[in-house]
Amino acid sequence: MKKISNEKKLIKQFLLMDCGTLVFGIVFFLITNMMGEKTTILGAAIATIIFWIFDFVLRGFLGKFKEC
């Protein structure tokens, strides 16, 4: 089995975080519109960006992005 380098691990973590953020944005948009709120795509995008920033900061404080 090949060893994955530290840089590839970090890239993989960022890509997983980005995919999770996209899923959050889509679900946020769909659920808020199903509840009757008139959420625009711009509003959902802003909420997604805020979620990504909080997720990045939280993972940084938890040490998820430390190089092994």
Side-chain angles (χ1 to χ4, degrees), residues 18-55:
D18 291 342
C19 289
T21 303
L22 287 174
V23 169
F24 168 79
I26 293 168
V27 169
F28 175 79
F29 179 75
L30 292 175
I31 289 178
T32 53
N33 280 327
M34 282 186 214
M35 290 175 17
E37 297 289 326
K38 298 295 180 192
T39 304
T40 63
I41 293 179
L42 179 64
I46 292 170
T48 302
I49 292 169
I50 293 169
F51 175 80
W52 188 90
I53 292 170
F54 284 144
D55 192 28

